[in-house]
Amino acid sequence: MNAKLITLVLILNLFIVGCTHQAVVGSVSATNVYSGFDSKITGNTTYTVDDSSITKLIKNDTVSGFECSAHRYPIDATNAFNASVPSMLRAVFEVEPYRSSSPQKDAVHLVFSIERFEPRLKFIQKFFGADAEANVEVSINVTGSLNGKRVFGTSVDSQRNASGDAGDFCSSASDILADAARHSIKDVLEKTGERLSNSQSLRNLEHH
């Protein structure tokens, strides 16, 4: 089999052989939180992740372009996000917040909502196979209330990339997509942690 025929077979594999490659997103340790204060925030805190928005972290159509487009790369980052929030909260609050679907008396209640989740995967053809480039955007909204009064609010965005060899039959692209998602979740949570830790309104509650 000559070189031209080998190249043709490899290119045809990029288009014809279609499989589903699930991107498995693991949890992250979102503890790199910058604070202008020497101490963590004291007091009791609860939190929840909005059930109606968490499904935005599930996407089935992530590929752009024609290379490897016969394959599917679904991604579900719901478990990763849920499992990663506590590490950030522990870095900010002295008393570890616990998850509660409803506010508790005399405790700050934080609500995390997913505003946007855009994972994109594209392939760049090379002589043998293809490279994969993943880009993941995450946007969240976080509000805080104490005994029915709003005491905190912020919106945070992140965009992170990952790239590498797509592997045989483009099978490694799902791992690259998952890496980009992990980096984006870590970044968006650490940015959130910085805003929480440096919130003067939350700090003022310590003296009440």
Side-chain angles (χ1 to χ4, degrees):
M1 186 178 293
N2 60 40
K4 288 184 178 180
L5 182 57
I6 292 173
T7 302
L8 177 61
V9 170
L10 289 169
I11 292 174
L12 287 174
N13 281 336
L14 295 179
F15 292 93
I16 297 173
V17 182
C19 298
T20 296
H21 304 284
Q22 178 73 42
V24 180
V25 186
S27 62
V28 298
S29 179
T31 57
N32 187 22
V33 175
Y34 167 78
S35 177
F37 296 86
D38 294 330
S39 60
K40 297 180 181 180
I41 298 174
T42 59
N44 295 323
T45 309
T46 62
Y47 78 96
T48 190
V49 179
D50 178 48
D51 288 336
S52 64
S53 70
I54 194 69
T55 54
K56 292 179 182 179
L57 293 175
I58 302 172
K59 295 286 184 178
N60 292 315
D61 184 15
T62 59
V63 179
S64 62
F66 295 103
E67 289 83 3
C68 299
S69 59
H71 302 273
R72 293 180 62 251
Y73 299 88
I75 184 170
D76 183 346
T78 56
N79 290 337
F81 186 84
N82 279 319
S84 301
V85 170
S87 65
M88 179 274 288
L89 294 175
R90 287 193 294 268
V92 174
F93 295 96
E94 188 70 37
V95 179
E96 183 173 349
Y98 64 91
R99 189 159 183 163
S100 174
S101 59
S102 59
Q104 304 297 309
K105 182 176 173 57
D106 296 331
V108 173
H109 186 63
L110 300 174
V111 179
F112 291 78
S113 300
I114 310 301
E115 297 297 318
R116 178 181 172 87
F117 180 61
E118 290 296 336
R120 290 184 292 274
L121 187 61
K122 69 177 181 178
F123 295 88
I124 300 172
Q125 184 182 327
K126 55 186 181 180
F127 188 76
F128 290 107
D131 284 331
E133 293 185 355
N135 178 281
V136 176
E137 295 180 48
V138 178
S139 176
I140 68 173
N141 180 266
V142 184
T143 59
S145 61
L146 175 64
N147 297 331
K149 179 182 178 182
R150 182 175 171 129
V151 294
F152 179 82
T154 191
S155 292
V156 189
D157 303 306
S158 178
Q159 178 177 313
R160 287 293 182 265
N161 305 297
S163 61
D165 188 276
D168 295 336
F169 304 109
C170 306
S171 59
S172 297
S174 57
D175 294 332
I176 295 170
L177 181 61
D179 283 343
R182 278 193 295 270
H183 294 323
S184 193
I185 289 172
K186 178 178 173 66
D187 184 57
V188 80
L189 287 177
E190 289 179 339
K191 287 178 179 176
T192 301
E194 291 175 4
R195 297 187 188 183
L196 285 166
S197 183
N198 293 291
S199 168
Q200 194 60 56
S201 61
L202 292 178
R203 294 284 177 176
N204 288 342
L205 296 175
E206 296 177 299
H207 307 296
H208 289 201

